[in-house]
């Protein structure tokens, strides 16, 4: 057995060994090791001085599986083959090339693309490491986290990858050719793509460590990445409703009053968010206690919100003021770092008075004892009163005026430089793992809203938002590509501050008609993101701040909040596809239409689930400038209906969601965009479940669902249901109902229900609608069903 696993062969003075997982060799004093993790994924390790230093990955949790592969040699080439991929290693220069099983080229390293430069990392002699690749000239690649540059295809750019407020960096990209590359390094990293090469260069690394994976298509690559770094658990149903927030509610009466007002207006709402300062002064920063006297009875506050059938999540940070209990306990074990962070002053006044420094310090989440302390106070001070989830602000964390010496500071895992970019992964993971572990919370799903992320964070029940973006049309447009590229890294849950955080570009704030139009368009986009959340500074954003019923802006906001709720059966079923099938909720067009080159680089359209094509309006249409004295001002102008050009990808036909009109794919069309219409199209062959009108997600059972069939192609859909907010689905407590449309026979087959859970519907009615050009089917339109079917869990065939 050992002779088989450790065969030694000599070729031109180059020897290599076959191992249980791959091969080992040395080329020009560089140790090289290839390890198959499965038939689709191979890990590449390179070490200087002929030595490979093992590390325990912070992102990768998969261990190598027993994988069948062969090794053969042809001249200077060592060729490894698994069922899915072929890897060729040039034994003279160390260059690696990757192909699919049929031998079609996918990716190759630059001939001299690996380099190691000696580096002193806070007194530790190590290396700066670099690996370059050669991509096809017109190859589209995606991912690298979230940036605000508005680019869909991530070519011809340079990124200095250090986590920031509005930029989340993940050293991973995937290609339209169906492969992905994960550079497993956590230090500040430069990614560069130009006409010469595509390169990762990291400041600190004991060696080169990256993974090549082949999925055949975008979903397959994401499946590989999640298999490697962790699967995404289910969120509660209520998290997919509408969320209201602002910077900040200053008392519990104000907070509870917002929920009450929504209920009085009959506008759906599932969540309210309490931002910072409920703890009191900056010296008490993030005490995880209600020390502000305006929050005089936290238990009553939470109960009042719950009694109105809403949920509360609350702001927590990764830093602590010097007068807090967590600070003192963390300081005793040396688990506080010392670099400038927010807030800079003990005073809340702006600008900060640096004569009175806040003394706030970031904690060390790499230290397991520090994560224990963090959770202890979070549990005692906030979970104990029934808070439903966590808003982890500054999870990158805030690092103001960063200086090189700041990165020399020691963490539990070495210098801060060495592990810098994994900070959000560690701090979010600490909260998730602790909450999953305690019996008191075992039945309630963890929900974390966080400002930053790193590879693997999808396994921690977290939804990332895009940070404190500015309120502008350009910022709105940039959110689309930011969210899509983030999702293409395998992390499926993302959102943005609806309306933008800072209103500094609109001095008149909500009185500016252009801002009101921007807010509506952002909210329309937000209705098709994994979380629909209104938030911002400088002015409140509740719906009643924009007028009342009959006002165009108010009515448009109301319309899309209600549309969100009617789509909940589709959204929740899609979330199950994310968990069980490694799918993505926000889908770049290239994911489903990789053969259509015209779809590769579109940065203002996407699919929400696999049926709905969304094209957000990202420019003003209904304002005009009116001169007035020394200044000009904006006024509303609805005298004519404007339009937007939309590209419908080739490979499918499409229906206008609002009118039922059908279109052939592969064409651009002009579609009318009044203020309350976002271009929204449904792929032919789709089966779309529409839920009831409700005031909150769980108000009504789904016993009278409308099932819309969009003919023109065969199609299917799986309706998923469970207990909505427990982990019993992991034990099989859920049901699925599969719908299948045969376009030639004009038959809808509703299959036997599979599974069971306590409280499930034993019987229900499906209102079947076959969409056509004559039938208006917008969510706010009454639709006469073609048939009403009573379903008791047994297979039914419906002829349409």
């Amino acid at each position: 057995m050992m002779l088989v696993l450790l065969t030694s062969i000599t070729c031109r003075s180059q020897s290599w060994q076959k191992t249980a997982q791959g091969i080992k060799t040395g080329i020009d004093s560089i140790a090289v090791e290839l390890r198959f993790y499965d038939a689709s994924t191979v890990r590449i390790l390179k070490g200087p001085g002929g030595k490979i230093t093992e590390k325990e990955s912070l992102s990768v949790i998969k261990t190598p599986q027993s994988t069948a592969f062969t090794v053969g040699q042809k001249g200077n080439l060592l060729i490894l083959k698994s069922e899915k991929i072929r890897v060729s290693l040039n034994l003279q220069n160390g260059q690696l090339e990757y192909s699919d099983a049929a031998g079609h080229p996918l990716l190759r390293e630059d001939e001299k693309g690996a380099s190691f430069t000696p580096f002193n990392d806070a007194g530790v002699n190590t290396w700066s490491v670099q690996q370059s690749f050669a991509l096809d000239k017109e190859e589209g690649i995606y991912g690298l986290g979230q940036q605000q540059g508005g680019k869909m295809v991530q070519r011809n750019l340079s990124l200095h990858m250090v986590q920031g407020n509005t930029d989340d960096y993940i050293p991973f990209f995937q290609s339209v050719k169906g492969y992905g590359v994960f550079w497993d390094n956590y230090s500040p990293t430069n990614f560069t793509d130009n006409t010469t090469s595509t390169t990762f260069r990291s400041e600190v690394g004991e060696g080169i460590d990256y993974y090549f994976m082949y999925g055949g298509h975008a979903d397959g690559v994401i499946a590989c990445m999640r298999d490697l770094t962790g699967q995404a658990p289910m969120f509660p149903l209520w998290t997919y409703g509408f969320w209201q927030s602002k910077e900040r509610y200053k008392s519990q009466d104000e907070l509870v009053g917002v929920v009450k007002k929504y209920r009085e207006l009959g506008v759906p709402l599932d969540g309210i968010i309490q931002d910072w300062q409920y703890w009191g002064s900056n010296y008490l920063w993030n005490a995880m206690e209600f020390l502000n006297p305006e929050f005089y009875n936290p238990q009553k506050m939470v109960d009042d919100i719950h009694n109105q059938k809403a949920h509360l999540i609350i702001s927590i940070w990764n830093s602590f003021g010097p007068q807090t209990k967590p600070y003192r306990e963390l300081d005793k074990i040396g688990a506080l770092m010392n670099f400038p962070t927010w807030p800079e002053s003990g005073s809340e006044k702006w600008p900060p008075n640096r004569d009175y420094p806040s003394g706030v310090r970031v904690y060390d989440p790499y230290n397991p004892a520090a994560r224990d302390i963090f959770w202890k106070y979070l549990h005692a001070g906030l979970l104990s009163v029934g808070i439903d989830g966590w808003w982890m602000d500054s999870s990158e964390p805030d690092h103001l005026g960063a200086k090189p010496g700041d990165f020399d500071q020691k963490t539990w895992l070495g210098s801060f430089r060495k592990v810098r970019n994994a900070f959000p992964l560690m701090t979010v993971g600490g909260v998730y793992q602790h909450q999953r572990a305690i019996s008191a919370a075992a039945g309630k799903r963890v929900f974390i809203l966080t400002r930053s992320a790193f590879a693997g964070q999808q396994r921690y029940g977290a939804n990332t938002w895009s940070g404190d973006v500015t309120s502008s049309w350009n910022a709105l447009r940039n959110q689309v590509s930011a969210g899509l590229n983030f999702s293409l890294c395998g992390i499926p849950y993302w959102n943005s501050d609806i309306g933008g955080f800072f209103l500094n570009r609109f001095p008149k704030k909500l009185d500016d008609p252009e801002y009101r139009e921007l807010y509506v368009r952002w909210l329309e986009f937000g209705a098709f993101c994994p979380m629909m959340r209104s938030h911002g500074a400088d002015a409140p954003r509740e719906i009643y701040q924009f007028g009342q019923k009959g006002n165009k802006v108010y009515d448009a906001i109301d319309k899309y909040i209600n549309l969100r709720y009617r789509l909940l059966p589709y959204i929740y079923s899609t979330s199950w596809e994310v968990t069980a099938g490694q799918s993505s909720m926000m889908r770049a067009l290239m994911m489903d239409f990789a053969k259509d080159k015209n779809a590769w680089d579109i940065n203002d359209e996407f699919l929400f689930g696999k049926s709905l094509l969304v094209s957000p309006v990202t420019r003003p249409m209904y304002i005009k400038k009116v001169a007035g004295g020394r200044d000009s001002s904006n006024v509303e102008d609805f005298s004519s209906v404007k339009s937007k050009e939309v590209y419908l990808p080739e490979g499918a036909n499409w229906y206008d969601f609002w009118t039922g009109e059908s279109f052939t794919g592969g064409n651009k069309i002009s579609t009318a965009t009044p203020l309350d219409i976002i271009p929204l199209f449904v792929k032919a062959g789709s089966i779309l479940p529409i839920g009831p009108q409700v005031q909150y997600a769980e108000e009504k059972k789904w016993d009278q669902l409308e099932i819309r069939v969009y003919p023109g192609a065969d199609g299917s859909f799986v309706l998923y249901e469970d207990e909505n907010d427990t982990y019993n689905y992991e034990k099989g407590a859920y049901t699925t109902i599969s719908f299948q449309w045969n376009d030639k026979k004009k038959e809808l087959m509703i299959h036997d229900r599979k599974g069971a859970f306590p409280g499930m519907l034993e019987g229900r009615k499906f209102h079947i609608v076959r969409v056509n050009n004559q039938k208006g089917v917008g969510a706010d339109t009454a639709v006469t069903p073609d048939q009403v079917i009573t379903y008791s869990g047994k297979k039914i065939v419906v002829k349409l």
Side-chain angles (χ1 to χ4, degrees):
M1 181 71 72
M2 289 299 295
L3 287 174
V4 172
L5 295 178
L6 296 172
T7 303
S8 180
I9 298 176
T10 301
C11 172
R12 296 188 181 182
S13 76
Q14 297 291 353
S15 64
W16 57 272
Q17 295 178 323
K18 183 179 180 182
T19 69
Q21 298 161 7
I23 63 98
K24 292 181 179 180
T25 188
I27 301 171
D28 293 334
S29 77
I30 295 176
V32 179
E33 184 170 353
L34 276 62
R35 299 176 185 172
F36 280 104
Y37 271 53
D38 56 36
S40 301
T41 302
V42 60
R43 182 183 182 185
I44 297 86
L45 293 154
K46 300 181 183 181
K51 179 183 178 183
I52 288 174
T53 302
E54 293 285 349
K55 80 166 192 278
E56 183 176 350
S57 176
L58 300 180
S59 293
V60 175
I61 59 174
K62 182 182 176 75
T63 55
Q65 305 300 297
S66 178
T67 304
F69 69 95
T70 61
V71 184
Q73 188 170 339
K74 187 175 182 180
N76 293 324
L77 291 181
L78 193 62
I79 302 171
L80 292 78
K81 293 181 181 179
S82 73
E83 182 184 357
K84 300 290 186 181
I85 56 177
R86 184 172 77 176
V87 186
S88 299
L89 172 63
N90 188 312
L91 290 169
Q92 281 194 320
N93 60 24
Q95 182 184 26
L96 285 161
E97 296 189 24
Y98 305 91
S99 307
D100 65 16
H104 300 123
L106 297 171
L107 176 70
R108 63 182 172 87
E109 295 180 345
D110 263 6
E111 186 173 336
K112 296 182 179 180
S115 70
F116 303 85
T117 305
F119 184 82
N120 186 300
D121 180 29
V124 176
N125 291 323
T126 183
W127 307 90
S128 293
V129 294
Q130 174 178 305
Q131 179 66 59
S132 295
F133 304 91
L135 275 61
D136 292 347
K137 183 178 179 181
E138 296 184 357
E139 183 177 351
I141 62 170
Y142 308 85
L144 301 173
Q146 167 202 280
Q147 294 89 50
Q148 302 293 333
K151 286 175 66 72
M152 193 61 239
V153 171
Q154 301 293 285
R155 298 298 302 270
N156 304 309
L157 62 94
S158 294
L159 300 173
H160 182 56
M161 305 178 83
V162 179
Q163 306 291 23
N165 183 322
T166 59
D167 296 291
D168 298 334
Y169 291 108
I170 300 170
F172 167 89
F173 69 82
Q174 64 162 289
S175 165
V176 290
K177 296 167 75 172
Y179 71 82
V181 173
F182 172 46
W183 178 258
D184 193 11
N185 188 289
Y186 326 117
S187 70
T189 296
N190 289 329
F191 173 84
T192 306
D193 178 83
N194 52 43
T195 56
T196 303
S197 63
T198 303
T199 302
F200 286 107
R201 179 177 177 81
S202 295
E203 289 187 10
V204 176
E206 293 164 331
I208 288 171
D209 187 353
Y210 75 89
Y211 295 78
F212 176 88
M213 59 200 78
Y214 180 64
H217 46 72
D219 281 318
V221 176
I222 287 172
C224 290
M225 187 61 173
R226 291 202 197 136
D227 184 52
L228 198 63
T229 63
Q231 301 297 337
M234 290 284 289
F235 286 146
L237 176 63
W238 50 265
T239 65
Y240 296 106
F242 178 66
W243 285 80
Q244 185 61 63
S245 179
K246 77 169 185 178
E247 189 287 299
R248 57 190 158 90
Y249 297 115
K250 295 184 177 181
S251 71
Q252 75 178 66
D253 292 336
E254 182 186 9
L255 182 77
V256 174
V258 171
V259 180
K260 182 179 179 182
K261 184 68 172 178
Y262 269 86
R263 293 289 180 253
E264 291 172 350
L265 292 171
V267 178
L269 179 76
D270 258 275
I272 189 81
I273 304 176
Q274 177 57 47
D275 206 341
W276 59 1
Q277 300 293 35
Y278 60 88
W279 50 69
S281 78
N282 287 352
Y283 298 115
L284 295 169
W285 189 264
N286 196 37
M288 296 181 179
E289 293 183 71
F290 292 93
L291 303 176
N292 183 333
E294 295 298 325
F295 295 83
Y296 51 88
N297 190 334
Q299 188 64 66
K300 182 179 185 302
M301 175 183 71
V302 174
D303 292 344
D304 287 346
I305 291 169
H306 287 171
N307 289 338
Q308 295 181 82
K309 306 300 182 183
H311 297 81
L312 171 65
I313 67 176
I314 197 163
S315 172
I316 56 174
W317 288 60
N318 301 284
S319 53
F320 296 92
Q323 294 181 4
T324 63
K325 297 174 187 175
Y327 182 104
R328 293 194 289 270
E329 192 165 345
L330 289 163
D331 196 30
K332 285 180 181 178
I333 65 168
L336 290 172
M337 290 188 275
N338 192 21
F339 53 76
T341 192
W342 177 265
E344 296 177 272
S345 172
S347 170
E348 295 180 38
K349 292 183 179 180
W350 188 261
N353 186 342
R354 292 180 175 83
D355 290 335
Y356 298 91
S358 68
V360 172
R361 293 170 67 186
V362 172
Y363 92 114
D364 178 4
Y366 310 97
N367 184 333
R371 296 195 298 270
D372 290 344
I373 293 168
F374 188 100
W375 173 253
K376 180 177 76 171
Y377 288 100
L378 181 60
H379 181 227
L382 299 177
L383 186 65
S384 63
V385 297
I387 303 293
D388 299 293
W390 316 113
W391 184 12
M392 297 191 72
D393 210 337
S394 187
S395 55
E396 63 276 350
D398 275 312
H399 187 175
L400 307 178
K403 299 176 181 178
D406 294 345
F407 295 97
D408 290 340
Q409 294 186 51
K410 298 295 184 181
T411 74
W412 181 260
L413 295 178
S415 75
F416 187 39
R417 179 184 296 105
K418 182 179 179 181
V419 291
R420 169 68 182 94
N421 284 336
F423 189 101
L425 177 71
M426 301 305 292
T427 188
V428 170
V431 172
Y432 176 84
Q433 290 171 327
H434 278 93
Q435 189 165 345
R436 280 299 311 253
I438 62 171
S439 59
K444 188 176 178 63
R445 297 177 195 170
V446 180
F447 180 68
I448 299 169
L449 177 62
T450 177
R451 198 169 79 181
S452 192
F454 192 71
Q457 202 157 306
Q458 71 280 351
R459 65 183 183 253
Y460 291 141
N463 191 318
T464 303
W465 93 94
S466 60
D468 298 338
V469 295
T470 298
S471 299
S472 72
W473 292 99
N474 187 57
L476 169 56
R477 184 183 183 89
N478 290 346
Q479 298 315 294
V480 182
S481 57
L484 293 175
N485 276 297
F486 183 83
S487 297
L488 283 162
C489 294
I491 308 180
Y493 294 112
W494 176 95
N495 69 107
S496 64
D497 291 345
I498 289 175
F501 185 73
F502 292 113
L503 270 177
N504 51 298
R505 295 195 181 189
F506 296 94
K508 294 183 179 180
K509 301 177 182 177
L510 272 56
D511 291 331
D512 191 321
E514 184 177 357
Y515 179 72
R516 293 197 296 271
E517 183 179 350
L518 172 63
Y519 182 83
V520 168
R521 295 306 195 187
W522 208 314
L523 183 123
E524 291 171 353
F525 164 61
F528 300 96
C529 290
M531 186 178 189
M532 186 182 187
R533 180 185 58 89
S534 170
H535 178 69
D538 306 319
R541 315 292 174 86
E542 297 84 13
I543 185 173
Y544 47 85
Q545 308 291 348
F546 294 89
Q548 56 189 355
K549 282 187 181 294
N551 174 280
K552 283 183 178 292
V553 171
Y554 181 102
D555 289 350
I557 296 170
D558 183 52
K559 176 178 179 174
Y560 280 85
I561 294 175
N562 276 283
L563 173 59
R564 174 75 172 198
Y565 279 84
R566 297 211 65 194
L567 289 173
L568 281 181
Y570 173 76
I571 294 170
Y572 199 55
S573 297
T574 299
S575 76
W576 169 246
E577 194 174 354
V578 169
T579 293
Q582 292 77 51
S583 189
S584 297
M585 195 166 281
M586 290 181 72
R587 304 176 62 81
L589 297 187
M590 54 74 60
M591 295 185 72
D592 297 275
F593 303 97
K595 294 181 179 179
D596 182 357
K597 288 188 177 181
N598 293 322
W600 287 6
D601 202 22
I602 294 178
N603 66 351
D604 66 342
E605 297 180 25
F606 64 99
L607 290 176
F608 185 57
K610 294 182 179 178
S611 295
L612 297 176
L613 186 149
V614 186
S615 182
V617 177
T618 58
R619 64 179 180 86
M621 293 182 174
Y622 297 106
I623 61 164
K624 65 180 180 181
K625 297 284 186 181
V626 176
R630 298 171 55 187
D631 303 310
S632 61
S633 59
N634 297 324
V635 297
E636 294 175 340
D637 181 7
F638 295 107
S639 59
S640 62
V641 175
K642 308 299 182 182
S643 62
K644 182 188 179 184
E645 189 177 76
V646 178
Y647 179 72
L648 301 175
E650 186 177 5
N653 292 330
W654 301 90
Y655 287 82
D656 187 312
F657 176 81
W658 306 106
T659 67
E661 185 178 359
S662 60
F663 300 91
T664 302
N667 293 294
K668 291 181 178 179
I669 66 167
S670 180
T671 183
T673 50
L675 184 65
D676 68 340
I677 292 293
I678 184 176
L680 184 61
F681 295 85
V682 189
K683 186 169 63 176
S686 295
I687 299 165
L688 191 64
I690 303 295
Q693 288 190 317
V694 293
Q695 293 300 292
Y696 53 93
E698 296 185 47
E699 183 185 14
K700 298 176 183 177
K701 291 185 178 293
W702 295 346
D703 56 351
Q704 299 281 339
L705 290 185
E706 184 180 304
I707 305 296
R708 297 182 184 176
V709 179
Y710 292 81
D714 293 343
S716 62
F717 183 81
V718 177
L719 179 68
Y720 172 85
E721 294 168 289
D722 63 16
E723 295 173 315
N724 298 329
D725 192 9
T726 73
Y727 285 107
N728 291 332
Y729 74 88
E730 295 179 339
K731 304 172 185 176
Y734 63 88
T735 63
T736 57
I737 301 172
S738 296
F739 296 78
Q740 191 171 4
W741 170 248
N742 186 310
D743 199 61
K744 184 177 181 180
K745 294 181 179 181
K746 308 305 177 191
E747 287 182 353
L748 177 67
M749 184 178 294
I750 309 174
H751 290 271
D752 291 347
R753 180 180 59 229
K754 294 182 179 180
F757 63 89
M760 74 177 190
L761 288 169
E762 297 289 349
R764 68 210 308 167
K765 291 181 187 280
F766 290 128
H767 299 248
I768 313 296
V769 176
R770 180 183 172 187
V771 177
N772 57 56
N773 290 2
Q774 286 75 46
K775 189 172 289 185
V777 291
D780 55 349
T781 305
V783 181
T784 302
D786 293 272
Q787 294 189 45
V788 178
I789 302 299
T790 299
Y791 177 78
S792 60
K794 297 300 181 181
K795 176 178 162 182
I796 296 176
V797 177
V798 183
K799 191 80 174 178
L800 292 174

